[in-house]
PDB file of all heavy atoms in Angstrom:
ATOM      1  N   ASP A1113     -55.654 119.621  39.497  1.00  0.00           N
ATOM      2  CA  ASP A1113     -56.540 120.655  38.992  1.00  0.00           C
ATOM      3  C   ASP A1113     -56.876 121.723  40.021  1.00  0.00           C
ATOM      4  O   ASP A1113     -57.668 122.629  39.743  1.00  0.00           O
ATOM      5  CB  ASP A1113     -57.835 120.026  38.470  1.00  0.00           C
ATOM      6  CG  ASP A1113     -58.600 119.247  39.545  1.00  0.00           C
ATOM      7  OD1 ASP A1113     -57.973 118.910  40.579  1.00  0.00           O
ATOM      8  OD2 ASP A1113     -59.793 118.977  39.353  1.00  0.00           O
ATOM      9  N   SER A1114     -56.300 121.660  41.224  1.00  0.00           N
ATOM     10  CA  SER A1114     -56.574 122.702  42.227  1.00  0.00           C
ATOM     11  C   SER A1114     -55.951 124.020  41.787  1.00  0.00           C
ATOM     12  O   SER A1114     -54.993 124.054  40.999  1.00  0.00           O
ATOM     13  CB  SER A1114     -56.014 122.295  43.590  1.00  0.00           C
ATOM     14  OG  SER A1114     -54.599 122.446  43.619  1.00  0.00           O
ATOM     15  N   GLU A1115     -56.490 125.113  42.295  1.00  0.00           N
ATOM     16  CA  GLU A1115     -55.935 126.418  41.923  1.00  0.00           C
ATOM     17  C   GLU A1115     -54.487 126.557  42.396  1.00  0.00           C
ATOM     18  O   GLU A1115     -53.654 127.157  41.705  1.00  0.00           O
ATOM     19  CB  GLU A1115     -56.807 127.552  42.469  1.00  0.00           C
ATOM     20  CG  GLU A1115     -58.152 127.654  41.792  1.00  0.00           C
ATOM     21  CD  GLU A1115     -58.761 129.053  41.870  1.00  0.00           C
ATOM     22  OE1 GLU A1115     -58.088 129.981  42.349  1.00  0.00           O
ATOM     23  OE2 GLU A1115     -59.919 129.191  41.419  1.00  0.00           O
ATOM     24  N   ILE A1116     -54.175 126.005  43.563  1.00  0.00           N
ATOM     25  CA  ILE A1116     -52.811 126.103  44.072  1.00  0.00           C
ATOM     26  C   ILE A1116     -51.831 125.381  43.151  1.00  0.00           C
ATOM     27  O   ILE A1116     -50.763 125.914  42.803  1.00  0.00           O
ATOM     28  CB  ILE A1116     -52.729 125.528  45.500  1.00  0.00           C
ATOM     29  CG1 ILE A1116     -53.459 126.454  46.481  1.00  0.00           C
ATOM     30  CG2 ILE A1116     -51.278 125.346  45.936  1.00  0.00           C
ATOM     31  CD1 ILE A1116     -52.915 127.873  46.551  1.00  0.00           C
ATOM     32  N   CYS A1117     -52.162 124.176  42.711  1.00  0.00           N
ATOM     33  CA  CYS A1117     -51.280 123.440  41.808  1.00  0.00           C
ATOM     34  C   CYS A1117     -51.168 124.144  40.454  1.00  0.00           C
ATOM     35  O   CYS A1117     -50.082 124.188  39.850  1.00  0.00           O
ATOM     36  CB  CYS A1117     -51.773 122.007  41.621  1.00  0.00           C
ATOM     37  SG  CYS A1117     -51.479 120.943  43.064  1.00  0.00           S
ATOM     38  N   ARG A1118     -52.254 124.688  39.963  1.00  0.00           N
ATOM     39  CA  ARG A1118     -52.223 125.378  38.673  1.00  0.00           C
ATOM     40  C   ARG A1118     -51.394 126.654  38.760  1.00  0.00           C
ATOM     41  O   ARG A1118     -50.650 126.982  37.822  1.00  0.00           O
ATOM     42  CB  ARG A1118     -53.651 125.681  38.219  1.00  0.00           C
ATOM     43  CG  ARG A1118     -54.446 124.427  37.844  1.00  0.00           C
ATOM     44  CD  ARG A1118     -55.908 124.746  37.667  1.00  0.00           C
ATOM     45  NE  ARG A1118     -56.107 125.715  36.602  1.00  0.00           N
ATOM     46  CZ  ARG A1118     -57.145 126.542  36.538  1.00  0.00           C
ATOM     47  NH1 ARG A1118     -58.085 126.522  37.499  1.00  0.00           N
ATOM     48  NH2 ARG A1118     -57.259 127.391  35.549  1.00  0.00           N
ATOM     49  N   ILE A1119     -51.474 127.373  39.880  1.00  0.00           N
ATOM     50  CA  ILE A1119     -50.625 128.556  40.077  1.00  0.00           C
ATOM     51  C   ILE A1119     -49.167 128.145  40.144  1.00  0.00           C
ATOM     52  O   ILE A1119     -48.289 128.770  39.535  1.00  0.00           O
ATOM     53  CB  ILE A1119     -51.042 129.312  41.352  1.00  0.00           C
ATOM     54  CG1 ILE A1119     -52.410 129.972  41.170  1.00  0.00           C
ATOM     55  CG2 ILE A1119     -49.996 130.374  41.723  1.00  0.00           C
ATOM     56  CD1 ILE A1119     -52.998 130.538  42.454  1.00  0.00           C
ATOM     57  N   ASP A1120     -48.900 127.067  40.875  1.00  0.00           N
ATOM     58  CA  ASP A1120     -47.517 126.609  41.048  1.00  0.00           C
ATOM     59  C   ASP A1120     -46.893 126.213  39.704  1.00  0.00           C
ATOM     60  O   ASP A1120     -45.693 126.418  39.483  1.00  0.00           O
ATOM     61  CB  ASP A1120     -47.492 125.427  42.019  1.00  0.00           C
ATOM     62  CG  ASP A1120     -46.099 125.101  42.511  1.00  0.00           C
ATOM     63  OD1 ASP A1120     -45.293 126.042  42.713  1.00  0.00           O
ATOM     64  OD2 ASP A1120     -45.791 123.914  42.702  1.00  0.00           O
ATOM     65  N   ARG A1121     -47.691 125.649  38.801  1.00  0.00           N
ATOM     66  CA  ARG A1121     -47.179 125.242  37.485  1.00  0.00           C
ATOM     67  C   ARG A1121     -47.164 126.392  36.486  1.00  0.00           C
ATOM     68  O   ARG A1121     -46.741 126.223  35.343  1.00  0.00           O
ATOM     69  CB  ARG A1121     -48.045 124.100  36.920  1.00  0.00           C
ATOM     70  CG  ARG A1121     -47.941 122.798  37.684  1.00  0.00           C
ATOM     71  CD  ARG A1121     -48.539 121.647  36.857  1.00  0.00           C
ATOM     72  NE  ARG A1121     -49.927 121.908  36.499  1.00  0.00           N
ATOM     73  CZ  ARG A1121     -50.985 121.482  37.191  1.00  0.00           C
ATOM     74  NH1 ARG A1121     -50.800 120.786  38.314  1.00  0.00           N
ATOM     75  NH2 ARG A1121     -52.212 121.741  36.787  1.00  0.00           N
ATOM     76  N   GLY A1122     -47.663 127.559  36.902  1.00  0.00           N
ATOM     77  CA  GLY A1122     -47.691 128.703  36.004  1.00  0.00           C
ATOM     78  C   GLY A1122     -48.855 128.698  35.042  1.00  0.00           C
ATOM     79  O   GLY A1122     -48.870 129.463  34.062  1.00  0.00           O
ATOM     80  N   GLU A1123     -49.857 127.861  35.294  1.00  0.00           N
ATOM     81  CA  GLU A1123     -51.002 127.737  34.392  1.00  0.00           C
ATOM     82  C   GLU A1123     -52.134 128.695  34.738  1.00  0.00           C
ATOM     83  O   GLU A1123     -53.004 128.955  33.899  1.00  0.00           O
ATOM     84  CB  GLU A1123     -51.535 126.305  34.425  1.00  0.00           C
ATOM     85  CG  GLU A1123     -50.540 125.267  33.935  1.00  0.00           C
ATOM     86  CD  GLU A1123     -51.030 123.843  34.136  1.00  0.00           C
ATOM     87  OE1 GLU A1123     -52.171 123.655  34.605  1.00  0.00           O
ATOM     88  OE2 GLU A1123     -50.254 122.922  33.815  1.00  0.00           O
ATOM     89  N   LEU A1124     -52.143 129.204  35.974  1.00  0.00           N
ATOM     90  CA  LEU A1124     -53.201 130.104  36.421  1.00  0.00           C
ATOM     91  C   LEU A1124     -52.565 131.384  36.955  1.00  0.00           C
ATOM     92  O   LEU A1124     -51.888 131.359  37.999  1.00  0.00           O
ATOM     93  CB  LEU A1124     -54.050 129.447  37.515  1.00  0.00           C
ATOM     94  CG  LEU A1124     -55.152 130.312  38.142  1.00  0.00           C
ATOM     95  CD1 LEU A1124     -56.222 130.653  37.102  1.00  0.00           C
ATOM     96  CD2 LEU A1124     -55.784 129.594  39.343  1.00  0.00           C
ATOM     97  N   PRO A1125     -52.755 132.519  36.285  1.00  0.00           N
ATOM     98  CA  PRO A1125     -52.226 133.780  36.817  1.00  0.00           C
ATOM     99  C   PRO A1125     -52.893 134.110  38.153  1.00  0.00           C
ATOM    100  O   PRO A1125     -54.095 133.875  38.328  1.00  0.00           O
ATOM    101  CB  PRO A1125     -52.601 134.807  35.740  1.00  0.00           C
ATOM    102  CG  PRO A1125     -52.887 134.008  34.512  1.00  0.00           C
ATOM    103  CD  PRO A1125     -53.418 132.695  34.984  1.00  0.00           C
ATOM    104  N   LEU A1126     -52.113 134.646  39.071  1.00  0.00           N
ATOM    105  CA  LEU A1126     -52.672 134.969  40.385  1.00  0.00           C
ATOM    106  C   LEU A1126     -53.844 135.931  40.265  1.00  0.00           C
ATOM    107  O   LEU A1126     -54.811 135.842  41.026  1.00  0.00           O
ATOM    108  CB  LEU A1126     -51.579 135.564  41.278  1.00  0.00           C
ATOM    109  CG  LEU A1126     -51.963 135.835  42.738  1.00  0.00           C
ATOM    110  CD1 LEU A1126     -52.438 134.557  43.420  1.00  0.00           C
ATOM    111  CD2 LEU A1126     -50.790 136.440  43.497  1.00  0.00           C
ATOM    112  N   SER A1127     -53.794 136.819  39.298  1.00  0.00           N
ATOM    113  CA  SER A1127     -54.864 137.801  39.112  1.00  0.00           C
ATOM    114  C   SER A1127     -56.190 137.151  38.739  1.00  0.00           C
ATOM    115  O   SER A1127     -57.254 137.750  38.911  1.00  0.00           O
ATOM    116  CB  SER A1127     -54.468 138.814  38.036  1.00  0.00           C
ATOM    117  OG  SER A1127     -54.248 138.149  36.793  1.00  0.00           O
ATOM    118  N   GLU A1128     -56.135 135.904  38.225  1.00  0.00           N
ATOM    119  CA  GLU A1128     -57.358 135.206  37.828  1.00  0.00           C
ATOM    120  C   GLU A1128     -57.799 134.174  38.865  1.00  0.00           C
ATOM    121  O   GLU A1128     -58.806 133.488  38.662  1.00  0.00           O
ATOM    122  CB  GLU A1128     -57.146 134.515  36.475  1.00  0.00           C
ATOM    123  CG  GLU A1128     -56.858 135.487  35.342  1.00  0.00           C
ATOM    124  CD  GLU A1128     -56.618 134.785  34.021  1.00  0.00           C
ATOM    125  OE1 GLU A1128     -56.927 133.575  33.922  1.00  0.00           O
ATOM    126  OE2 GLU A1128     -56.122 135.443  33.088  1.00  0.00           O
ATOM    127  N   ALA A1129     -57.072 134.063  39.968  1.00  0.00           N
ATOM    128  CA  ALA A1129     -57.415 133.089  41.005  1.00  0.00           C
ATOM    129  C   ALA A1129     -58.594 133.579  41.832  1.00  0.00           C
ATOM    130  O   ALA A1129     -58.957 134.770  41.819  1.00  0.00           O
ATOM    131  CB  ALA A1129     -56.210 132.840  41.905  1.00  0.00           C
ATOM    132  N   HIS A1130     -59.202 132.650  42.571  1.00  0.00           N
ATOM    133  CA  HIS A1130     -60.312 132.991  43.465  1.00  0.00           C
ATOM    134  C   HIS A1130     -59.853 134.013  44.500  1.00  0.00           C
ATOM    135  O   HIS A1130     -58.680 134.027  44.911  1.00  0.00           O
ATOM    136  CB  HIS A1130     -60.802 131.717  44.163  1.00  0.00           C
ATOM    137  CG  HIS A1130     -62.096 131.882  44.884  1.00  0.00           C
ATOM    138  ND1 HIS A1130     -62.198 132.459  46.131  1.00  0.00           N
ATOM    139  CD2 HIS A1130     -63.372 131.532  44.528  1.00  0.00           C
ATOM    140  CE1 HIS A1130     -63.459 132.457  46.519  1.00  0.00           C
ATOM    141  NE2 HIS A1130     -64.198 131.900  45.571  1.00  0.00           N
ATOM    142  N   ASP A1131     -60.765 134.871  44.933  1.00  0.00           N
ATOM    143  CA  ASP A1131     -60.434 135.905  45.921  1.00  0.00           C
ATOM    144  C   ASP A1131     -59.803 135.296  47.170  1.00  0.00           C
ATOM    145  O   ASP A1131     -58.857 135.867  47.737  1.00  0.00           O
ATOM    146  CB  ASP A1131     -61.689 136.689  46.319  1.00  0.00           C
ATOM    147  CG  ASP A1131     -62.169 137.618  45.221  1.00  0.00           C
ATOM    148  OD1 ASP A1131     -61.421 137.806  44.232  1.00  0.00           O
ATOM    149  OD2 ASP A1131     -63.290 138.153  45.343  1.00  0.00           O
ATOM    150  N   ASP A1132     -60.337 134.161  47.633  1.00  0.00           N
ATOM    151  CA  ASP A1132     -59.795 133.530  48.839  1.00  0.00           C
ATOM    152  C   ASP A1132     -58.365 133.048  48.610  1.00  0.00           C
ATOM    153  O   ASP A1132     -57.530 133.099  49.522  1.00  0.00           O
ATOM    154  CB  ASP A1132     -60.674 132.351  49.272  1.00  0.00           C
ATOM    155  CG  ASP A1132     -61.970 132.807  49.932  1.00  0.00           C
ATOM    156  OD1 ASP A1132     -62.039 133.973  50.358  1.00  0.00           O
ATOM    157  OD2 ASP A1132     -62.900 131.983  50.012  1.00  0.00           O
ATOM    158  N   VAL A1133     -58.070 132.558  47.420  1.00  0.00           N
ATOM    159  CA  VAL A1133     -56.710 132.110  47.114  1.00  0.00           C
ATOM    160  C   VAL A1133     -55.756 133.293  47.142  1.00  0.00           C
ATOM    161  O   VAL A1133     -54.657 133.215  47.720  1.00  0.00           O
ATOM    162  CB  VAL A1133     -56.667 131.402  45.749  1.00  0.00           C
ATOM    163  CG1 VAL A1133     -55.232 131.093  45.336  1.00  0.00           C
ATOM    164  CG2 VAL A1133     -57.496 130.117  45.793  1.00  0.00           C
ATOM    165  N   ARG A1134     -56.153 134.386  46.540  1.00  0.00           N
ATOM    166  CA  ARG A1134     -55.293 135.583  46.540  1.00  0.00           C
ATOM    167  C   ARG A1134     -55.075 136.076  47.966  1.00  0.00           C
ATOM    168  O   ARG A1134     -53.966 136.476  48.342  1.00  0.00           O
ATOM    169  CB  ARG A1134     -55.891 136.680  45.665  1.00  0.00           C
ATOM    170  CG  ARG A1134     -55.952 136.310  44.194  1.00  0.00           C
ATOM    171  CD  ARG A1134     -56.038 137.548  43.310  1.00  0.00           C
ATOM    172  NE  ARG A1134     -57.183 138.378  43.649  1.00  0.00           N
ATOM    173  CZ  ARG A1134     -58.397 138.221  43.123  1.00  0.00           C
ATOM    174  NH1 ARG A1134     -58.626 137.252  42.242  1.00  0.00           N
ATOM    175  NH2 ARG A1134     -59.389 139.016  43.458  1.00  0.00           N
ATOM    176  N   TRP A1135     -56.148 136.033  48.793  1.00  0.00           N
ATOM    177  CA  TRP A1135     -56.010 136.496  50.177  1.00  0.00           C
ATOM    178  C   TRP A1135     -55.047 135.602  50.953  1.00  0.00           C
ATOM    179  O   TRP A1135     -54.187 136.097  51.693  1.00  0.00           O
ATOM    180  CB  TRP A1135     -57.371 136.520  50.869  1.00  0.00           C
ATOM    181  CG  TRP A1135     -57.300 137.119  52.244  1.00  0.00           C
ATOM    182  CD1 TRP A1135     -57.478 138.429  52.578  1.00  0.00           C
ATOM    183  CD2 TRP A1135     -56.996 136.422  53.466  1.00  0.00           C
ATOM    184  NE1 TRP A1135     -57.302 138.595  53.932  1.00  0.00           N
ATOM    185  CE2 TRP A1135     -57.002 137.388  54.501  1.00  0.00           C
ATOM    186  CE3 TRP A1135     -56.726 135.098  53.790  1.00  0.00           C
ATOM    187  CZ2 TRP A1135     -56.759 137.057  55.835  1.00  0.00           C
ATOM    188  CZ3 TRP A1135     -56.457 134.769  55.115  1.00  0.00           C
ATOM    189  CH2 TRP A1135     -56.483 135.734  56.121  1.00  0.00           C
ATOM    190  N   ILE A1136     -55.202 134.295  50.800  1.00  0.00           N
ATOM    191  CA  ILE A1136     -54.335 133.357  51.519  1.00  0.00           C
ATOM    192  C   ILE A1136     -52.872 133.576  51.140  1.00  0.00           C
ATOM    193  O   ILE A1136     -51.977 133.618  52.006  1.00  0.00           O
ATOM    194  CB  ILE A1136     -54.757 131.899  51.230  1.00  0.00           C
ATOM    195  CG1 ILE A1136     -55.985 131.522  52.061  1.00  0.00           C
ATOM    196  CG2 ILE A1136     -53.623 130.927  51.517  1.00  0.00           C
ATOM    197  CD1 ILE A1136     -55.722 131.344  53.543  1.00  0.00           C
ATOM    198  N   LEU A1137     -52.584 133.715  49.857  1.00  0.00           N
ATOM    199  CA  LEU A1137     -51.198 133.876  49.435  1.00  0.00           C
ATOM    200  C   LEU A1137     -50.628 135.212  49.897  1.00  0.00           C
ATOM    201  O   LEU A1137     -49.441 135.302  50.260  1.00  0.00           O
ATOM    202  CB  LEU A1137     -51.088 133.718  47.916  1.00  0.00           C
ATOM    203  CG  LEU A1137     -51.442 132.322  47.399  1.00  0.00           C
ATOM    204  CD1 LEU A1137     -51.265 132.246  45.884  1.00  0.00           C
ATOM    205  CD2 LEU A1137     -50.603 131.251  48.090  1.00  0.00           C
ATOM    206  N   ALA A1138     -51.463 136.243  49.948  1.00  0.00           N
ATOM    207  CA  ALA A1138     -51.001 137.525  50.478  1.00  0.00           C
ATOM    208  C   ALA A1138     -50.732 137.426  51.976  1.00  0.00           C
ATOM    209  O   ALA A1138     -49.744 137.985  52.484  1.00  0.00           O
ATOM    210  CB  ALA A1138     -52.038 138.613  50.196  1.00  0.00           C
ATOM    211  N   ARG A1139     -51.580 136.715  52.682  1.00  0.00           N
ATOM    212  CA  ARG A1139     -51.382 136.535  54.125  1.00  0.00           C
ATOM    213  C   ARG A1139     -50.138 135.688  54.386  1.00  0.00           C
ATOM    214  O   ARG A1139     -49.381 135.965  55.335  1.00  0.00           O
ATOM    215  CB  ARG A1139     -52.616 135.875  54.735  1.00  0.00           C
ATOM    216  CG  ARG A1139     -52.529 135.596  56.228  1.00  0.00           C
ATOM    217  CD  ARG A1139     -52.415 136.849  57.044  1.00  0.00           C
ATOM    218  NE  ARG A1139     -52.412 136.564  58.469  1.00  0.00           N
ATOM    219  CZ  ARG A1139     -51.705 137.238  59.364  1.00  0.00           C
ATOM    220  NH1 ARG A1139     -50.945 138.265  58.982  1.00  0.00           N
ATOM    221  NH2 ARG A1139     -51.752 136.916  60.639  1.00  0.00           N
ATOM    222  N   CYS A1140     -49.892 134.687  53.559  1.00  0.00           N
ATOM    223  CA  CYS A1140     -48.667 133.889  53.702  1.00  0.00           C
ATOM    224  C   CYS A1140     -47.434 134.770  53.553  1.00  0.00           C
ATOM    225  O   CYS A1140     -46.453 134.616  54.288  1.00  0.00           O
ATOM    226  CB  CYS A1140     -48.637 132.772  52.658  1.00  0.00           C
ATOM    227  SG  CYS A1140     -49.685 131.337  53.033  1.00  0.00           S
ATOM    228  N   GLU A1141     -47.472 135.677  52.592  1.00  0.00           N
ATOM    229  CA  GLU A1141     -46.328 136.557  52.388  1.00  0.00           C
ATOM    230  C   GLU A1141     -46.140 137.490  53.587  1.00  0.00           C
ATOM    231  O   GLU A1141     -45.009 137.726  54.028  1.00  0.00           O
ATOM    232  CB  GLU A1141     -46.517 137.372  51.110  1.00  0.00           C
ATOM    233  CG  GLU A1141     -45.403 138.373  50.826  1.00  0.00           C
ATOM    234  CD  GLU A1141     -44.019 137.741  50.722  1.00  0.00           C
ATOM    235  OE1 GLU A1141     -43.920 136.536  50.424  1.00  0.00           O
ATOM    236  OE2 GLU A1141     -43.027 138.472  50.933  1.00  0.00           O
ATOM    237  N   ALA A1142     -47.252 138.004  54.131  1.00  0.00           N
ATOM    238  CA  ALA A1142     -47.160 138.860  55.315  1.00  0.00           C
ATOM    239  C   ALA A1142     -46.573 138.094  56.499  1.00  0.00           C
ATOM    240  O   ALA A1142     -45.748 138.622  57.260  1.00  0.00           O
ATOM    241  CB  ALA A1142     -48.536 139.425  55.665  1.00  0.00           C
ATOM    242  N   LEU A1143     -46.988 136.833  56.668  1.00  0.00           N
ATOM    243  CA  LEU A1143     -46.458 136.006  57.754  1.00  0.00           C
ATOM    244  C   LEU A1143     -44.992 135.655  57.523  1.00  0.00           C
ATOM    245  O   LEU A1143     -44.216 135.558  58.472  1.00  0.00           O
ATOM    246  CB  LEU A1143     -47.295 134.738  57.898  1.00  0.00           C
ATOM    247  CG  LEU A1143     -48.652 134.929  58.572  1.00  0.00           C
ATOM    248  CD1 LEU A1143     -49.569 133.745  58.284  1.00  0.00           C
ATOM    249  CD2 LEU A1143     -48.498 135.125  60.078  1.00  0.00           C
ATOM    250  N   ARG A1144     -44.601 135.464  56.265  1.00  0.00           N
ATOM    251  CA  ARG A1144     -43.189 135.203  55.974  1.00  0.00           C
ATOM    252  C   ARG A1144     -42.326 136.376  56.449  1.00  0.00           C
ATOM    253  O   ARG A1144     -41.275 136.184  57.074  1.00  0.00           O
ATOM    254  CB  ARG A1144     -42.987 134.968  54.475  1.00  0.00           C
ATOM    255  CG  ARG A1144     -41.574 134.507  54.107  1.00  0.00           C
ATOM    256  CD  ARG A1144     -41.371 134.486  52.600  1.00  0.00           C
ATOM    257  NE  ARG A1144     -41.437 135.833  52.057  1.00  0.00           N
ATOM    258  CZ  ARG A1144     -40.411 136.696  52.084  1.00  0.00           C
ATOM    259  NH1 ARG A1144     -39.259 136.346  52.632  1.00  0.00           N
ATOM    260  NH2 ARG A1144     -40.550 137.892  51.561  1.00  0.00           N
ATOM    261  N   GLU A1145     -42.791 137.580  56.169  1.00  0.00           N
ATOM    262  CA  GLU A1145     -42.044 138.761  56.607  1.00  0.00           C
ATOM    263  C   GLU A1145     -42.064 138.900  58.120  1.00  0.00           C
ATOM    264  O   GLU A1145     -41.039 139.201  58.744  1.00  0.00           O
ATOM    265  CB  GLU A1145     -42.620 140.011  55.941  1.00  0.00           C
ATOM    266  CG  GLU A1145     -42.459 140.035  54.424  1.00  0.00           C
ATOM    267  CD  GLU A1145     -43.046 141.277  53.799  1.00  0.00           C
ATOM    268  OE1 GLU A1145     -43.516 142.165  54.549  1.00  0.00           O
ATOM    269  OE2 GLU A1145     -43.042 141.377  52.553  1.00  0.00           O
ATOM    270  N   GLU A1146     -43.226 138.659  58.740  1.00  0.00           N
ATOM    271  CA  GLU A1146     -43.368 138.816  60.196  1.00  0.00           C
ATOM    272  C   GLU A1146     -42.489 137.815  60.953  1.00  0.00           C
ATOM    273  O   GLU A1146     -41.974 138.129  62.034  1.00  0.00           O
ATOM    274  CB  GLU A1146     -44.832 138.617  60.598  1.00  0.00           C
ATOM    275  CG  GLU A1146     -45.097 138.779  62.084  1.00  0.00           C
ATOM    276  CD  GLU A1146     -46.536 138.511  62.475  1.00  0.00           C
ATOM    277  OE1 GLU A1146     -47.387 138.312  61.580  1.00  0.00           O
ATOM    278  OE2 GLU A1146     -46.818 138.501  63.689  1.00  0.00           O
ATOM    279  N   THR A1147     -42.329 136.622  60.393  1.00  0.00           N
ATOM    280  CA  THR A1147     -41.586 135.568  61.098  1.00  0.00           C
ATOM    281  C   THR A1147     -40.119 135.490  60.657  1.00  0.00           C
ATOM    282  O   THR A1147     -39.429 134.527  61.002  1.00  0.00           O
ATOM    283  CB  THR A1147     -42.244 134.200  60.863  1.00  0.00           C
ATOM    284  OG1 THR A1147     -42.193 133.877  59.459  1.00  0.00           O
ATOM    285  CG2 THR A1147     -43.687 134.187  61.344  1.00  0.00           C
ATOM    286  N   GLY A1148     -39.655 136.462  59.913  1.00  0.00           N
ATOM    287  CA  GLY A1148     -38.276 136.431  59.461  1.00  0.00           C
ATOM    288  C   GLY A1148     -37.988 135.296  58.492  1.00  0.00           C
ATOM    289  O   GLY A1148     -36.864 134.803  58.416  1.00  0.00           O
ATOM    290  N   GLY A1149     -39.022 134.895  57.740  1.00  0.00           N
ATOM    291  CA  GLY A1149     -38.858 133.850  56.744  1.00  0.00           C
ATOM    292  C   GLY A1149     -39.062 132.443  57.265  1.00  0.00           C
ATOM    293  O   GLY A1149     -38.974 131.481  56.483  1.00  0.00           O
ATOM    294  N   TYR A1150     -39.341 132.274  58.563  1.00  0.00           N
ATOM    295  CA  TYR A1150     -39.500 130.916  59.109  1.00  0.00           C
ATOM    296  C   TYR A1150     -40.843 130.293  58.756  1.00  0.00           C
ATOM    297  O   TYR A1150     -40.969 129.067  58.768  1.00  0.00           O
ATOM    298  CB  TYR A1150     -39.280 130.926  60.619  1.00  0.00           C
ATOM    299  CG  TYR A1150     -37.822 131.018  60.988  1.00  0.00           C
ATOM    300  CD1 TYR A1150     -37.245 132.238  61.306  1.00  0.00           C
ATOM    301  CD2 TYR A1150     -37.009 129.885  60.983  1.00  0.00           C
ATOM    302  CE1 TYR A1150     -35.892 132.335  61.628  1.00  0.00           C
ATOM    303  CE2 TYR A1150     -35.667 129.967  61.303  1.00  0.00           C
ATOM    304  CZ  TYR A1150     -35.115 131.192  61.618  1.00  0.00           C
ATOM    305  OH  TYR A1150     -33.776 131.288  61.912  1.00  0.00           O
ATOM    306  N   PHE A1151     -41.848 131.120  58.482  1.00  0.00           N
ATOM    307  CA  PHE A1151     -43.086 130.589  57.890  1.00  0.00           C
ATOM    308  C   PHE A1151     -43.026 130.952  56.414  1.00  0.00           C
ATOM    309  O   PHE A1151     -43.065 132.123  56.051  1.00  0.00           O
ATOM    310  CB  PHE A1151     -44.334 131.185  58.536  1.00  0.00           C
ATOM    311  CG  PHE A1151     -45.609 130.654  57.939  1.00  0.00           C
ATOM    312  CD1 PHE A1151     -46.178 129.487  58.422  1.00  0.00           C
ATOM    313  CD2 PHE A1151     -46.227 131.301  56.873  1.00  0.00           C
ATOM    314  CE1 PHE A1151     -47.345 128.975  57.853  1.00  0.00           C
ATOM    315  CE2 PHE A1151     -47.388 130.795  56.302  1.00  0.00           C
ATOM    316  CZ  PHE A1151     -47.948 129.639  56.799  1.00  0.00           C
ATOM    317  N   ASP A1152     -42.913 129.946  55.574  1.00  0.00           N
ATOM    318  CA  ASP A1152     -42.698 130.192  54.149  1.00  0.00           C
ATOM    319  C   ASP A1152     -43.502 129.184  53.343  1.00  0.00           C
ATOM    320  O   ASP A1152     -43.266 127.974  53.433  1.00  0.00           O
ATOM    321  CB  ASP A1152     -41.206 130.070  53.818  1.00  0.00           C
ATOM    322  CG  ASP A1152     -40.877 130.531  52.405  1.00  0.00           C
ATOM    323  OD1 ASP A1152     -41.805 130.658  51.582  1.00  0.00           O
ATOM    324  OD2 ASP A1152     -39.690 130.757  52.123  1.00  0.00           O
TER     325      ASP A1152
END
């Protein structure tokens, strides 16, 4: 029932997730680009 699991299963649109969840996932994407995909 966590937001991360619900997003992963497609049950929770990212636009409806908690602000902190959206921030974390955006930061993960920025780090993926910064590290050449090694942090994913």
Side-chain angles (χ1 to χ4, degrees):
D1113 60 342
S1114 75
E1115 291 205 6
I1116 290 300
C1117 286
R1118 291 169 61 206
I1119 291 170
D1120 194 36
R1121 293 194 303 266
E1123 297 173 3
L1124 176 65
L1126 186 58
S1127 61
E1128 297 179 14
H1130 192 280
D1131 288 349
D1132 285 342
V1133 173
R1134 295 202 303 272
W1135 186 91
I1136 281 288
L1137 295 182
R1139 178 64 177 144
C1140 282
E1141 178 58 24
L1143 284 162
R1144 188 188 66 81
E1145 295 180 4
E1146 181 183 353
T1147 63
Y1150 283 97
F1151 180 87
D1152 189 344

